[in-house]
Amino acid sequence: MILVRPADRPDEFPAHPFQLCEEYAMHRTSATVGNSRIVIEAGAPRPDATTIVERKGLGHPDTLADHLAERLSRAYSQYTVQHFGAVLHHNFDKLALLGGASEVRYGGAKMSSLVRVLVNGRAAPQCGGESIPVTEIVEAEVRAFFAERLPEVSDHLDIAFNITSNSSPGAVLTGDDVPDRTRWFNPRSIDDLRERRVRLSNDTSLGTGWAPENPFETFVRDLVDHFSGQSDFTRAHAWCGSDVKLMGYWDGQHADIVLCVPQKSRHVASRAEYVRNTEAVLAECHRLAGIHLPGADADFRLNARDVPEKDELYLTYTGSSIESGDEGVVGRGNRVNGLITPLRPMNLEGASGKNPVYHVGKLYNIAALRLARRLHEATGEHAEVHLVSTTGQRLDQPWRVLIRLAAQEAEIDKVQALVTEALEEFPALTDELVQEGIVLS
């Protein structure tokens, strides 16, 4: 095994041989650029074929919470940019949904209890004495969101506004002067926004990305989207609900999949019709597996909790379990790449709803994913990116940048150039997020 130990950092490698992997030769280089320590590891191990992956569809309560929080951030950002010329301080990333109740029958159903929307967070309520209609913006977006995503729920909402403009920690009173920090959520003008001068990380946190996906991960994404979103199948089968969830296991040759696909009760007249619909879903699963995973074996379990003889079925009014007690919380759903992959590097940041200007929990995860994809394209091999921030340090100078490449040889100058390019893109990334929000792949 050949190890390259940088002369200026003899402590970069463990002191004991048993701490090193003997199955591959890893070459490590490191450098300090500005306030960032950049470490590049070439010859890192490739991911094993064994894959566990989960994806939650558009109607899953956690996905609803993520997408609604991001929509609120985008709407607030667009309003403040239009009226004041800058994104004012806010965060809606603690939003939660509390499930309602429904009465479901073959051929019909109704809501019997409201879905509660807990809009938790902070937002500047004014700038320079001009008020911002925060609650009006939020309520309009919440109702529009459900009208588009789950129209049956849109008239059965209880919206709770838990939005403050309280200052972050650090505003120490030493006299009659008002600490600058207290003005972050109550600015006299956009000149009170520190990020207008220099963008500093709001938190000590981590952003992680990797590429490429393997064929099974791509299949999981496509299969959930096929049943959860707009597709030929959902357009032809009005009974197909959107609260789809998939857990899959893959060993490189065999796929084992547990899948939940709800049905809308007003389009299902009987138990026999429900069972026929499940057979249609399973047939579609096998058809798509043949296209995405040619030559592989694939087993599917659909709606595993169903007990047809007792009429215990995944039959819903709205197509989502949010109608019947289930809750949704930002950050419990898909990562920014649209998947939940416990055998891959990942973190638990809830990116949706965070301020798009300097919140590293959003920006670093997206930047790390995009950089990993560029590194994969450049090397033709697996790439991992980890961006670690320190609160108060420049956003474009992470405390640590760790690049892991499966390629045995890497052009260090080219890799560093790609890192620099990614870190310089935060202003453009902010503009993109304000206009489009997080677009999950």
Side-chain angles (χ1 to χ4, degrees), residues 209-222:
W210 50 267
E213 293 176 3
N214 66 33
F216 183 67
E217 289 160 338
T218 302
F219 172 59
V220 165
R221 179 198 314 285
D222 291 346

Side-chain angles (χ1 to χ4, degrees), residues 210-289:
W210 50 267
E213 293 176 3
N214 66 33
F216 183 67
E217 289 160 338
T218 302
F219 172 59
V220 165
R221 179 198 314 285
D222 291 346
L223 189 64
V224 171
D225 290 351
H226 188 72
F227 293 121
S228 173
Q230 290 294 315
S231 68
D232 290 342
F233 185 89
T234 57
R235 282 188 286 268
H237 300 93
W239 48 260
C240 189
S242 60
D243 189 356
V244 177
K245 180 178 176 180
L246 187 155
M247 181 70 75
Y249 184 93
W250 169 253
D251 63 9
Q253 296 179 320
H254 181 83
D256 200 2
I257 293 171
V258 179
L259 179 66
C260 293
V261 178
Q263 297 182 29
K264 293 186 176 184
S265 58
R266 67 184 182 278
H267 300 291
V268 181
S270 65
R271 179 198 301 174
E273 191 169 323
Y274 177 93
V275 172
R276 286 198 298 272
N277 293 342
T278 62
E279 292 170 352
V281 171
L282 287 170
E284 188 73 353
C285 287
H286 285 287
R287 184 184 73 82
L288 292 173

Side-chain angles (χ1 to χ4, degrees), residues 14 22 37 49 69 97 111 114 140 146 154 157 173 206 235 250 258 269 272 300 306 337 360 362 375 418:
E22 298 291 344
R37 187 70 179 176
L97 304 175
M111 294 292 297
L114 301 177
F146 278 98
S154 59
L157 298 173
L173 301 175
L206 170 70
R235 282 188 286 268
W250 169 253
V258 179
F300 294 89
D306 280 1
N337 67 352
V360 291
K362 170 179 281 186
L375 290 168
L418 288 172

